[in-house]
Amino acid sequence: MSMEPVLVELGDGFRVVTLNRPASLNSFNQEMHTAVAAALADIGGDASCRALLLTGAGRGFCAGQDLADGVFTPGKVPDLAATIDKNYNPLIRKIRELPIPVICAVNGVAAGAGANLALACDIVLAARSAKFIQAFSKIGLVPDSGGTWLLPRLIGNARARAITLLGDAVTAEQAESWGMIWKTVDDAALMTEARSFTTHLAKQPTGALALIKRALDLSEHNTLDQQLDLERDLQGLAGRGPDFAEGVTAFMEKRPARFTGRL
Ligand code: T3D
C-alpha cells in the first residue's frame, strides 16, 4: 500500500483525490494538509480537468484533525486559530471556489473537519455505512471548516444545533433524508457510482456549470431582485459560448452533445 498521504489519479477529463492515511481514518496531519493543497493547487487553471472526485482510503473518509499531530501538547497553549488559518480555511475556500463540479464519495466515517470538508463539496454521495459526526464539542471545540455556515443552510437551524451541540453521529440515510447530502449508495456500489457521476459531469458544459455554482453561491446573500439580474448576466455569458450552440444543435439533430467545456 502506498505511504503517500494523498493519492491523485489523473483521469480522462477528471481527477480523483484520495485521502490516504487509513490507519488513522485519514485524519489530517500537516503532511496530508500540504499534499491535499498541492493536489488541488492547479486544478482551476487546468482546462483538461472538468470534474474532481474526493474520497478516502480504507474504512473511513476523514476523522478531521489528527489529534496526535501536535495539536495539543500538555503544558503548552495551542494556537488553533493559526492552524485553521493555515490549513482548513484555505482548503474549504479552495474547494468552494473550484470552477468545476466537486463530487465527494464518503466511503466511511466523516468526523470533525472531515465531515465539513465533505459537506463543502458540490455533490455528496455516501456509503450506506458512513456516518457524519460533528465531533468538535466532544473535545471542547467548535465546528470549523465551514460547518456552522453549511449546516444551517443544508439542514436548518434545529438539526444543525442538535448535531453540533450533541456531537451525535448522523447516519448516511438520515443525512440524505435531511438534505445534508445528495444520495446514499450501497457500500459496494459507492465508488462505481461516484466515478460514473464524475465521468458524466466531466463531459458536461463545464463553463455553464461553473456559472451555476456561482449563481447558487451568490444567492446566499442576494435578494430575488439581485438574483434575477445575476441570472440575466450569467445567461448572457453562457449564451455566447460554444457549448450553448453545440447543445442546441445536438438537440435539433437528435444526437448527444459534444461539449468543449469552454465559455
Ligand atoms: O487548528 C486545528 O488544527 C484544530 C482543528 C480541528 C478540526 C477537527 O477536525 S477537530 C475534531 C477532530 N476529530 C475528532 O475528534 C474525531 C476523533 N475520532 C473519533 O471520534 C473516532 O475515531 C471516530 C468516531 C471518527 C471513529 O470511531 P471508530 O470506533 O470507528 O474508530 P477508532 O477506533 O476510534 O479509530 C481508528 C483509529 O484511528 C484509532 O487508532 P488505533 O487505536 O487503531 O491506533 C484512532 O486513534 C485513530 N483516529 C481516529 N480519529 C483520529 C485518530 N487518530 C488521530 N486523530 C484523529 N482525529
Side-chain angles (χ1 to χ4, degrees):
M1 184 187 291
S2 167
M3 298 303 285
E4 295 297 321
V6 171
L7 306 177
V8 180
E9 175 192 330
L10 302 179
D12 182 13
F14 63 90
R15 284 190 205 182
V16 183
V17 170
T18 304
L19 308 177
N20 189 39
R21 299 185 67 237
S24 62
L25 303 179
N26 305 316
S27 56
F28 272 96
N29 63 2
Q30 188 53 52
E31 199 192 355
M32 193 167 95
H33 270 299
T34 305
V36 172
L40 302 181
D42 65 328
I43 289 187
D46 176 2
S48 73
C49 180
R50 294 168 58 185
L52 169 67
L53 172 58
L54 178 66
T55 191
R59 73 173 178 89
F61 169 68
C62 175
Q65 174 62 35
D66 183 334
L67 298 173
D69 191 44
V71 71
F72 175 71
T73 313
K76 281 176 87 175
V77 180
D79 186 356
L80 301 189
T83 52
I84 296 276
D85 245 350
K86 178 179 173 193
N87 292 318
Y88 291 104
N89 284 356
L91 172 61
I92 300 302
R93 289 189 176 114
K94 180 75 186 181
I95 292 281
R96 296 292 289 192
E97 286 163 8
L98 282 175
I100 56 172
V102 182
I103 300 96
C104 186
V106 181
N107 51 300
V109 67
N116 296 334
L117 169 61
L119 299 182
C121 298
D122 294 312
I123 299 180
V124 185
L125 304 176
R128 205 166 295 283
S129 68
K131 290 186 176 71
F132 297 82
I133 311 176
Q134 295 293 321
F136 306 90
S137 60
K138 300 263 188 208
I139 55 169
L141 292 183
V142 298
D144 58 27
S145 304
T148 58
W149 190 90
L150 292 161
L151 285 167
R153 286 168 170 78
L154 289 169
I155 60 175
N157 231 308
R159 285 169 173 152
R161 278 173 196 255
I163 66 170
T164 51
L165 295 175
L166 294 168
D168 283 355
V170 176
T171 65
E173 281 174 358
Q174 223 170 1
E176 179 186 331
S177 74
W178 289 357
M180 195 163 106
I181 63 167
W182 169 239
K183 199 172 173 191
T184 301
V185 179
D186 286 339
D187 287 27
L190 178 71
M191 289 316 293
T192 307
E193 184 144 350
R195 280 177 173 276
S196 155
F197 258 83
T198 308
T199 50
H200 168 77
L201 283 163
K203 294 191 172 82
Q204 298 310 302
T206 311
L209 303 194
L211 298 184
I212 293 171
K213 287 179 53 159
R214 198 191 305 170
L216 291 172
D217 284 343
L218 292 172
S219 78
E220 300 290 350
H221 308 289
N222 278 350
T223 61
L224 173 60
D225 213 39
Q226 290 167 322
Q227 197 69 10
L228 287 171
D229 286 347
L230 175 71
E231 289 175 356
R232 173 203 60 209
D233 295 346
L234 298 183
Q235 201 71 296
L237 201 56
R240 289 193 289 277
D243 281 345
F244 174 57
E246 167 60 10
V248 175
T249 307
F251 176 79
M252 300 307 278
E253 293 175 357
K254 300 189 185 305
R255 62 167 174 83
R258 291 181 294 270
F259 293 116
T260 64
R262 292 196 307 274
L263 262 188

mmCIF file of all heavy atoms in Angstrom, residues 23-25 27 59 63-68 71 79-81 83-84 88 109 111-114 133 135-136 139 141 144, ligand 1:
data_model
loop_
_atom_site.group_PDB
_atom_site.id
_atom_site.type_symbol
_atom_site.label_atom_id
_atom_site.label_comp_id
_atom_site.label_asym_id
_atom_site.label_seq_id
_atom_site.Cartn_x
_atom_site.Cartn_y
_atom_site.Cartn_z
ATOM 1 N N ALA A 23 -4.841 4.269 8.511
ATOM 2 C CA ALA A 23 -4.655 3.767 9.886
ATOM 3 C C ALA A 23 -5.242 4.740 10.909
ATOM 4 O O ALA A 23 -5.646 4.336 12.006
ATOM 5 C CB ALA A 23 -3.169 3.543 10.165
ATOM 6 N N SER A 24 -5.308 6.021 10.567
ATOM 7 C CA SER A 24 -5.941 6.987 11.488
ATOM 8 C C SER A 24 -7.184 7.591 10.836
ATOM 9 O O SER A 24 -7.505 8.760 11.052
ATOM 10 C CB SER A 24 -4.947 8.072 11.899
ATOM 11 O OG SER A 24 -4.543 8.790 10.749
ATOM 12 N N LEU A 25 -7.859 6.776 10.047
ATOM 13 C CA LEU A 25 -9.108 7.178 9.376
ATOM 14 C C LEU A 25 -8.924 8.470 8.589
ATOM 15 O O LEU A 25 -9.794 9.335 8.561
ATOM 16 C CB LEU A 25 -10.253 7.307 10.403
ATOM 17 C CG LEU A 25 -10.544 6.046 11.239
ATOM 18 C CD1 LEU A 25 -11.674 6.302 12.222
ATOM 19 C CD2 LEU A 25 -10.878 4.862 10.348
ATOM 20 N N SER A 27 -7.213 11.069 9.062
ATOM 21 C CA SER A 27 -7.217 12.355 9.772
ATOM 22 C C SER A 27 -6.078 13.210 9.213
ATOM 23 O O SER A 27 -5.082 12.699 8.692
ATOM 24 C CB SER A 27 -7.083 12.138 11.277
ATOM 25 O OG SER A 27 -5.922 11.395 11.560
ATOM 26 N N ARG A 59 -11.406 2.306 5.634
ATOM 27 C CA ARG A 59 -12.789 2.230 6.130
ATOM 28 C C ARG A 59 -13.356 3.585 6.556
ATOM 29 O O ARG A 59 -14.520 3.682 6.942
ATOM 30 C CB ARG A 59 -12.887 1.234 7.290
ATOM 31 C CG ARG A 59 -12.291 1.683 8.607
ATOM 32 C CD ARG A 59 -12.609 0.666 9.709
ATOM 33 N NE ARG A 59 -12.023 1.032 10.993
ATOM 34 C CZ ARG A 59 -12.625 1.796 11.891
ATOM 35 N NH1 ARG A 59 -13.835 2.280 11.673
ATOM 36 N NH2 ARG A 59 -12.018 2.076 13.032
ATOM 37 N N ALA A 63 -11.311 11.616 9.588
ATOM 38 C CA ALA A 63 -11.668 11.841 11.001
ATOM 39 C C ALA A 63 -11.251 13.226 11.478
ATOM 40 O O ALA A 63 -11.043 13.439 12.678
ATOM 41 C CB ALA A 63 -11.058 10.754 11.880
ATOM 42 N N GLY A 64 -11.119 14.171 10.536
ATOM 43 C CA GLY A 64 -10.797 15.544 10.940
ATOM 44 C C GLY A 64 -9.337 15.689 11.300
ATOM 45 O O GLY A 64 -8.466 14.972 10.779
ATOM 46 N N GLN A 65 -9.077 16.607 12.209
ATOM 47 C CA GLN A 65 -7.695 16.862 12.614
ATOM 48 C C GLN A 65 -7.086 15.635 13.278
ATOM 49 O O GLN A 65 -7.729 14.997 14.124
ATOM 50 C CB GLN A 65 -7.672 18.051 13.598
ATOM 51 C CG GLN A 65 -6.315 18.327 14.204
ATOM 52 C CD GLN A 65 -5.271 18.704 13.161
ATOM 53 O OE1 GLN A 65 -5.587 19.358 12.161
ATOM 54 N NE2 GLN A 65 -4.031 18.291 13.377
ATOM 55 N N ASP A 66 -5.842 15.309 12.908
ATOM 56 C CA ASP A 66 -5.107 14.246 13.609
ATOM 57 C C ASP A 66 -4.752 14.773 14.993
ATOM 58 O O ASP A 66 -3.897 15.660 15.138
ATOM 59 C CB ASP A 66 -3.839 13.874 12.820
ATOM 60 C CG ASP A 66 -3.093 12.721 13.474
ATOM 61 O OD1 ASP A 66 -3.220 12.532 14.712
ATOM 62 O OD2 ASP A 66 -2.375 12.008 12.760
ATOM 63 N N LEU A 67 -5.425 14.224 15.986
ATOM 64 C CA LEU A 67 -5.262 14.745 17.345
ATOM 65 C C LEU A 67 -3.918 14.350 17.949
ATOM 66 O O LEU A 67 -3.541 14.843 19.016
ATOM 67 C CB LEU A 67 -6.423 14.269 18.224
ATOM 68 C CG LEU A 67 -7.805 14.759 17.750
ATOM 69 C CD1 LEU A 67 -8.927 14.110 18.566
ATOM 70 C CD2 LEU A 67 -7.910 16.280 17.809
ATOM 71 N N ALA A 68 -3.188 13.490 17.254
ATOM 72 C CA ALA A 68 -1.861 13.094 17.736
ATOM 73 C C ALA A 68 -0.757 13.887 17.044
ATOM 74 O O ALA A 68 0.426 13.618 17.262
ATOM 75 C CB ALA A 68 -1.658 11.603 17.494
ATOM 76 N N VAL A 71 -1.346 18.920 17.859
ATOM 77 C CA VAL A 71 -2.365 19.956 18.001
ATOM 78 C C VAL A 71 -2.537 20.328 19.470
ATOM 79 O O VAL A 71 -2.869 21.463 19.808
ATOM 80 C CB VAL A 71 -3.694 19.487 17.333
ATOM 81 C CG1 VAL A 71 -4.376 18.402 18.112
ATOM 82 C CG2 VAL A 71 -4.640 20.635 17.102
ATOM 83 N N ASP A 79 -2.398 27.283 19.535
ATOM 84 C CA ASP A 79 -2.962 28.391 18.755
ATOM 85 C C ASP A 79 -3.726 27.779 17.578
ATOM 86 O O ASP A 79 -3.217 27.696 16.454
ATOM 87 C CB ASP A 79 -1.848 29.324 18.266
ATOM 88 C CG ASP A 79 -2.421 30.551 17.572
ATOM 89 O OD1 ASP A 79 -3.666 30.621 17.415
ATOM 90 O OD2 ASP A 79 -1.637 31.433 17.181
ATOM 91 N N LEU A 80 -4.932 27.333 17.877
ATOM 92 C CA LEU A 80 -5.710 26.657 16.834
ATOM 93 C C LEU A 80 -6.155 27.625 15.747
ATOM 94 O O LEU A 80 -6.319 27.230 14.587
ATOM 95 C CB LEU A 80 -6.925 25.943 17.444
ATOM 96 C CG LEU A 80 -6.621 24.874 18.506
ATOM 97 C CD1 LEU A 80 -7.878 24.092 18.866
ATOM 98 C CD2 LEU A 80 -5.535 23.906 18.051
ATOM 99 N N ALA A 81 -6.337 28.898 16.105
ATOM 100 C CA ALA A 81 -6.732 29.887 15.087
ATOM 101 C C ALA A 81 -5.676 29.931 13.988
ATOM 102 O O ALA A 81 -5.995 30.027 12.797
ATOM 103 C CB ALA A 81 -6.901 31.256 15.721
ATOM 104 N N THR A 83 -3.620 27.494 13.052
ATOM 105 C CA THR A 83 -3.610 26.310 12.183
ATOM 106 C C THR A 83 -4.860 26.269 11.288
ATOM 107 O O THR A 83 -4.820 25.792 10.161
ATOM 108 C CB THR A 83 -3.456 24.994 12.983
ATOM 109 O OG1 THR A 83 -4.437 24.964 14.012
ATOM 110 C CG2 THR A 83 -2.083 24.866 13.592
ATOM 111 N N ILE A 84 -5.962 26.809 11.809
ATOM 112 C CA ILE A 84 -7.173 26.906 10.964
ATOM 113 C C ILE A 84 -6.879 27.829 9.782
ATOM 114 O O ILE A 84 -7.223 27.535 8.626
ATOM 115 C CB ILE A 84 -8.348 27.478 11.782
ATOM 116 C CG1 ILE A 84 -8.736 26.549 12.925
ATOM 117 C CG2 ILE A 84 -9.539 27.787 10.865
ATOM 118 C CD1 ILE A 84 -9.655 25.441 12.585
ATOM 119 N N TYR A 88 -7.156 24.656 7.265
ATOM 120 C CA TYR A 88 -8.549 24.318 6.944
ATOM 121 C C TYR A 88 -9.251 25.416 6.142
ATOM 122 O O TYR A 88 -9.992 25.120 5.205
ATOM 123 C CB TYR A 88 -9.345 23.997 8.223
ATOM 124 C CG TYR A 88 -8.887 22.694 8.842
ATOM 125 C CD1 TYR A 88 -8.089 22.680 9.981
ATOM 126 C CD2 TYR A 88 -9.236 21.476 8.272
ATOM 127 C CE1 TYR A 88 -7.651 21.489 10.538
ATOM 128 C CE2 TYR A 88 -8.805 20.274 8.821
ATOM 129 C CZ TYR A 88 -8.006 20.290 9.952
ATOM 130 O OH TYR A 88 -7.581 19.102 10.483
ATOM 131 N N VAL A 109 -16.696 6.777 7.947
ATOM 132 C CA VAL A 109 -16.963 7.858 8.888
ATOM 133 C C VAL A 109 -16.311 9.184 8.447
ATOM 134 O O VAL A 109 -15.180 9.213 7.945
ATOM 135 C CB VAL A 109 -16.514 7.449 10.315
ATOM 136 C CG1 VAL A 109 -15.002 7.313 10.403
ATOM 137 C CG2 VAL A 109 -17.026 8.426 11.359
ATOM 138 N N ALA A 111 -15.711 12.754 10.304
ATOM 139 C CA ALA A 111 -15.859 13.387 11.619
ATOM 140 C C ALA A 111 -15.108 14.712 11.665
ATOM 141 O O ALA A 111 -14.102 14.891 10.970
ATOM 142 C CB ALA A 111 -15.336 12.455 12.710
ATOM 143 N N GLY A 112 -15.582 15.624 12.505
ATOM 144 C CA GLY A 112 -14.916 16.915 12.677
ATOM 145 C C GLY A 112 -14.772 17.628 11.345
ATOM 146 O O GLY A 112 -15.699 17.682 10.531
ATOM 147 N N ALA A 113 -13.569 18.158 11.119
ATOM 148 C CA ALA A 113 -13.321 18.874 9.870
ATOM 149 C C ALA A 113 -13.532 17.959 8.660
ATOM 150 O O ALA A 113 -13.828 18.447 7.561
ATOM 151 C CB ALA A 113 -11.897 19.433 9.870
ATOM 152 N N GLY A 114 -13.406 16.660 8.855
ATOM 153 C CA GLY A 114 -13.631 15.716 7.756
ATOM 154 C C GLY A 114 -15.083 15.723 7.303
ATOM 155 O O GLY A 114 -15.376 15.617 6.106
ATOM 156 N N ILE A 133 -20.145 13.031 11.750
ATOM 157 C CA ILE A 133 -20.102 13.369 13.181
ATOM 158 C C ILE A 133 -19.472 14.746 13.366
ATOM 159 O O ILE A 133 -18.302 14.960 13.004
ATOM 160 C CB ILE A 133 -19.287 12.334 13.994
ATOM 161 C CG1 ILE A 133 -19.737 10.905 13.659
ATOM 162 C CG2 ILE A 133 -19.409 12.604 15.492
ATOM 163 C CD1 ILE A 133 -18.927 9.816 14.347
ATOM 164 N N ALA A 135 -17.823 16.161 15.603
ATOM 165 C CA ALA A 135 -17.157 15.649 16.816
ATOM 166 C C ALA A 135 -16.557 16.745 17.697
ATOM 167 O O ALA A 135 -16.083 16.469 18.794
ATOM 168 C CB ALA A 135 -16.051 14.681 16.392
ATOM 169 N N PHE A 136 -16.600 17.968 17.224
ATOM 170 C CA PHE A 136 -15.864 19.062 17.888
ATOM 171 C C PHE A 136 -16.246 19.214 19.368
ATOM 172 O O PHE A 136 -15.372 19.342 20.232
ATOM 173 C CB PHE A 136 -16.135 20.378 17.161
ATOM 174 C CG PHE A 136 -15.854 20.336 15.693
ATOM 175 C CD1 PHE A 136 -16.833 19.971 14.783
ATOM 176 C CD2 PHE A 136 -14.591 20.661 15.208
ATOM 177 C CE1 PHE A 136 -16.579 19.926 13.422
ATOM 178 C CE2 PHE A 136 -14.326 20.621 13.848
ATOM 179 C CZ PHE A 136 -15.322 20.255 12.955
ATOM 180 N N ILE A 139 -14.680 17.265 22.204
ATOM 181 C CA ILE A 139 -13.332 17.559 22.699
ATOM 182 C C ILE A 139 -13.192 19.047 23.036
ATOM 183 O O ILE A 139 -12.082 19.585 23.092
ATOM 184 C CB ILE A 139 -12.232 17.124 21.690
ATOM 185 C CG1 ILE A 139 -12.453 17.745 20.304
ATOM 186 C CG2 ILE A 139 -12.151 15.616 21.605
ATOM 187 C CD1 ILE A 139 -11.272 17.568 19.360
ATOM 188 N N LEU A 141 -14.255 21.755 21.404
ATOM 189 C CA LEU A 141 -14.019 22.713 20.308
ATOM 190 C C LEU A 141 -15.338 23.103 19.647
ATOM 191 O O LEU A 141 -16.398 22.577 19.973
ATOM 192 C CB LEU A 141 -13.072 22.102 19.268
ATOM 193 C CG LEU A 141 -11.628 21.870 19.703
ATOM 194 C CD1 LEU A 141 -10.799 21.336 18.533
ATOM 195 C CD2 LEU A 141 -10.981 23.152 20.238
ATOM 196 N N ASP A 144 -15.569 23.792 12.740
ATOM 197 C CA ASP A 144 -14.815 24.670 11.838
ATOM 198 C C ASP A 144 -14.994 24.153 10.415
ATOM 199 O O ASP A 144 -15.908 23.376 10.136
ATOM 200 C CB ASP A 144 -13.337 24.755 12.261
ATOM 201 C CG ASP A 144 -12.661 23.389 12.295
ATOM 202 O OD1 ASP A 144 -13.088 22.478 11.561
ATOM 203 O OD2 ASP A 144 -11.686 23.234 13.057
HETATM 204 O O1 T3D B 1 -6.420 24.009 14.422
HETATM 205 C C1 T3D B 1 -6.650 22.815 14.434
HETATM 206 O O2 T3D B 1 -5.916 22.005 13.856
HETATM 207 C C2 T3D B 1 -7.926 22.331 15.081
HETATM 208 C C3 T3D B 1 -8.806 21.751 14.066
HETATM 209 C C4 T3D B 1 -9.751 20.894 14.404
HETATM 210 C C5 T3D B 1 -10.567 20.252 13.372
HETATM 211 C C6 T3D B 1 -11.137 18.954 13.834
HETATM 212 O O3 T3D B 1 -11.391 18.155 12.975
HETATM 213 S S1 T3D B 1 -11.430 18.698 15.479
HETATM 214 C C7 T3D B 1 -12.148 17.082 15.529
HETATM 215 C C8 T3D B 1 -11.080 16.028 15.455
HETATM 216 N N1 T3D B 1 -11.634 14.723 15.251
HETATM 217 C C9 T3D B 1 -12.215 14.019 16.220
HETATM 218 O O4 T3D B 1 -12.363 14.445 17.340
HETATM 219 C C10 T3D B 1 -12.649 12.618 15.871
HETATM 220 C C11 T3D B 1 -11.841 11.613 16.672
HETATM 221 N N2 T3D B 1 -12.180 10.276 16.261
HETATM 222 C C12 T3D B 1 -13.263 9.640 16.679
HETATM 223 O O5 T3D B 1 -14.091 10.150 17.392
HETATM 224 C C13 T3D B 1 -13.425 8.220 16.218
HETATM 225 O O6 T3D B 1 -12.181 7.741 15.805
HETATM 226 C C14 T3D B 1 -14.431 8.063 15.063
HETATM 227 C C15 T3D B 1 -15.852 8.315 15.575
HETATM 228 C C16 T3D B 1 -14.127 9.029 13.923
HETATM 229 C C17 T3D B 1 -14.363 6.630 14.501
HETATM 230 O O7 T3D B 1 -14.511 5.707 15.561
HETATM 231 P P1 T3D B 1 -14.140 4.181 15.318
HETATM 232 O O8 T3D B 1 -14.528 3.451 16.570
HETATM 233 O O9 T3D B 1 -14.756 3.723 14.051
HETATM 234 O O10 T3D B 1 -12.566 4.136 15.083
HETATM 235 P P2 T3D B 1 -11.405 4.344 16.152
HETATM 236 O O11 T3D B 1 -11.015 3.023 16.709
HETATM 237 O O12 T3D B 1 -11.759 5.389 17.120
HETATM 238 O O13 T3D B 1 -10.247 4.908 15.225
HETATM 239 C C18 T3D B 1 -9.438 4.054 14.428
HETATM 240 C C19 T3D B 1 -8.023 4.529 14.542
HETATM 241 O O14 T3D B 1 -7.943 5.861 14.032
HETATM 242 C C20 T3D B 1 -7.558 4.609 16.000
HETATM 243 O O15 T3D B 1 -6.190 4.350 16.022
HETATM 244 P P3 T3D B 1 -5.621 2.958 16.630
HETATM 245 O O16 T3D B 1 -6.135 2.855 18.018
HETATM 246 O O17 T3D B 1 -6.196 1.913 15.714
HETATM 247 O O18 T3D B 1 -4.143 3.110 16.518
HETATM 248 C C21 T3D B 1 -7.805 6.069 16.342
HETATM 249 O O19 T3D B 1 -6.974 6.552 17.381
HETATM 250 C C22 T3D B 1 -7.416 6.722 15.026
HETATM 251 N N3 T3D B 1 -8.070 8.037 14.906
HETATM 252 C C23 T3D B 1 -9.355 8.269 14.666
HETATM 253 N N4 T3D B 1 -9.573 9.583 14.607
HETATM 254 C C24 T3D B 1 -8.401 10.174 14.842
HETATM 255 C C25 T3D B 1 -7.420 9.184 15.035
HETATM 256 N N5 T3D B 1 -6.143 9.479 15.293
HETATM 257 C C26 T3D B 1 -5.829 10.801 15.371
HETATM 258 N N6 T3D B 1 -6.707 11.789 15.202
HETATM 259 C C27 T3D B 1 -7.992 11.528 14.927
HETATM 260 N N7 T3D B 1 -8.857 12.535 14.706
#
